Amino acid sequence: MKVTYRDALGNSTVRILWPIVVGMFQDCQMLAAHCELRNAFRHFRISRMVAVTVTAKRLPKPRRVLLAEWQRENGITHD
């Protein structure tokens, strides 16, 4: 997906994101995604997404692989 994102200081960037998971917290909703701009996993407040467009680009890796990499990077384990 292509996202125009505004940070806490009001600066906007356009990013290509590969969504991993959505988290719901008491005061906000977050999207965990692989960000092409940073070539890393990042977490984004959904309320700061100014524009979102679904692209025709295919995921760079299978979704299960991206999820496993994100979980490993964030210390999420399953017993």
Side-chain angles (χ1 to χ4, degrees), residues 7-78:
D7 68 17
L9 300 175
N11 302 312
S12 292
T13 57
V14 176
R15 300 168 183 249
I16 299 296
L17 303 179
W18 303 107
I20 306 294
V21 67
V22 174
M24 311 290 264
F25 300 97
Q26 187 172 357
D27 61 342
C28 69
Q29 294 82 37
M30 301 290 290
L31 173 70
H34 188 272
C35 175
E36 282 192 359
L37 179 67
R38 303 289 184 225
N39 194 29
F41 293 106
R42 294 285 195 259
H43 300 94
F44 301 89
R45 287 181 179 252
I46 293 174
S47 62
R48 292 186 182 160
M49 294 180 182
V50 178
V52 176
T53 305
V54 177
T55 67
K57 291 181 81 173
R58 298 185 56 89
L59 292 171
K61 300 176 184 179
R63 189 172 306 278
R64 64 180 164 66
V65 173
L66 286 173
L67 177 60
E69 289 175 357
W70 174 79
Q71 288 173 327
R72 187 172 40 257
E73 199 170 289
N74 285 279
I76 299 169
T77 60
H78 301 282

